Amino acid sequence: MTDIEFSYCKVCKNRGIKYPLGVICKISQDKPQFKQDCMHYEFDNEEYQTLKNNCRKYYSGLNEKGNSLGRRVNINTITYEQTHISDRSQSKLGSRLPLSMEFKRSATHYLFSHIIPSLFFIIGIPYYFKNKMNDDIIKILVIVSVIFFIGIMIWAAKQVIFNKPKIILDNKGIRIDGKDLIIWRDVLMTQIKTKHEQFTHEYLCISQISTTQNIEVNIQNLNVMGWQLGHYIETYKMKYQKL
């Protein structure tokens, strides 16, 4: 059974359990055989909310003082915040929502992580050794440093030009690093996880109906803020989930 089919069955009123088959259809008393859509599907909102609340309780349960159904949970140096959006903002965003959105590593990431440190390197090395070595060696160091810097510049330019999307949102679902699609129907809950350590790092956490294994994606260096990404995800989910 695919994730698409399992996300139907797990929140369907006609689901059942039969050993050793696992999840079955109560109507056929067998493993589901449909493709994409099921004519007997009846959405079980109570079960859906139970799964969602259990997921929220899991994160809140890690913090003894936390609100079991709260949107924001603090656990030592980690904050979990459930993505949400107001009806007004959802209506405003939804009216001009593109068919797809791509989020990539920002050019600023390459600037601060590679280009600026390299610039300090090519300036600092010759300056440090200028009174300790003869002029010929200093010239060689300068040439090597400049070649090194040009190489870093070319590499960074290629990364920016051929920068592949880290996260893609569209009418079908979420695609991460070009891998398998997570359909909107299978998205149970999304949260922004923030680690407050020496440096702050943000992660997108995706909980699914079809599996208990959550997905975490580092979004620290993307060209979008965590709360903005949360708004976009909620808007796409509300528009295309169709449970």
Side-chain angles (χ1 to χ4, degrees):
M1 186 188 297
T2 66
D3 287 348
I4 294 176
E5 290 153 3
F6 194 66
S7 63
Y8 266 97
C9 298
K10 202 165 183 180
V11 287
C12 176
K13 292 182 178 179
N14 294 318
R15 71 187 181 281
I17 301 292
K18 185 177 181 180
Y19 182 80
L21 298 177
V23 176
I24 64 166
C25 176
K26 285 184 177 179
I27 296 175
S28 66
Q29 289 296 309
D30 200 357
K31 296 282 284 184
Q33 302 295 326
F34 66 91
K35 299 295 182 182
Q36 298 295 324
D37 294 303
C38 176
M39 61 183 296
H40 302 298
Y41 175 70
E42 289 186 49
F43 176 58
D44 189 343
N45 184 62
E46 185 177 344
E47 178 64 15
Y48 177 80
Q49 294 301 328
T50 298
L51 291 173
K52 194 168 186 176
N53 287 339
N54 286 342
C55 185
R56 293 166 69 183
K57 285 178 180 178
Y58 165 75
Y59 285 101
S60 298
L62 297 176
N63 179 14
E64 294 179 357
K65 298 180 181 179
N67 178 356
S68 63
L69 296 180
R71 281 184 177 147
R72 188 182 183 93
V73 179
N74 296 307
I75 306 165
N76 297 325
T77 60
I78 299 176
T79 300
Y80 289 95
E81 185 161 7
Q82 185 181 344
T83 58
H84 63 280
I85 187 171
S86 66
D87 293 338
R88 181 178 178 183
S89 298
Q90 197 273 334
S91 178
K92 186 177 179 181
L93 277 174
S95 62
R96 50 188 173 84
L97 196 68
L99 188 60
S100 67
M101 297 184 74
E102 297 182 352
F103 303 100
K104 305 177 180 180
R105 289 186 182 274
S106 64
T108 307
H109 164 68
Y110 296 105
L111 176 66
F112 284 100
S113 63
H114 296 88
I115 297 177
I116 291 180
S118 301
L119 189 60
F120 276 107
F121 175 79
I122 67 170
I123 294 174
I125 292 296
Y127 179 81
Y128 178 79
F129 288 106
K130 69 176 182 179
N131 296 323
K132 299 180 180 181
M133 298 181 180
N134 59 47
D135 292 341
D136 291 338
I137 295 178
I138 293 296
K139 288 179 181 178
I140 293 173
L141 281 175
V142 170
I143 292 172
V144 170
S145 298
V146 170
I147 293 173
F148 173 77
F149 180 71
I150 292 173
I152 289 292
M153 287 287 289
I154 293 172
W155 177 85
K158 287 177 66 178
Q159 296 301 312
V160 172
I161 293 171
F162 300 104
N163 192 7
K164 294 182 179 180
K166 180 80 173 177
I167 297 175
I168 300 176
L169 308 178
D170 58 26
N171 60 334
K172 295 181 180 179
I174 306 175
R175 195 178 297 276
I176 299 169
D177 288 328
K179 297 179 181 177
D180 293 341
L181 179 73
I182 304 172
I183 62 168
W184 291 120
R185 179 181 292 278
D186 195 27
V187 176
L188 182 64
M189 188 174 73
T190 55
Q191 297 183 105
I192 301 299
K193 172 184 174 181
T194 307
K195 285 187 176 181
H196 308 279
E197 298 174 333
Q198 185 177 2
F199 298 99
T200 299
H201 294 280
E202 285 190 321
Y203 297 83
L204 171 65
C205 300
I206 305 174
S207 302
Q208 299 169 256
I209 293 175
S210 61
T211 176
T212 57
Q213 185 68 41
N214 293 338
I215 296 174
E216 283 194 7
V217 187
N218 191 329
I219 59 172
Q220 183 61 34
N221 299 312
L222 297 187
N223 57 347
V224 65
M225 301 293 289
W227 64 269
Q228 290 177 315
L229 180 61
H231 280 195
Y232 291 132
I233 289 174
E234 287 302 308
T235 306
Y236 272 94
K237 188 169 72 168
M238 289 179 185
K239 187 172 183 178
Y240 297 114
Q241 193 170 38
K242 298 177 183 178
L243 285 171

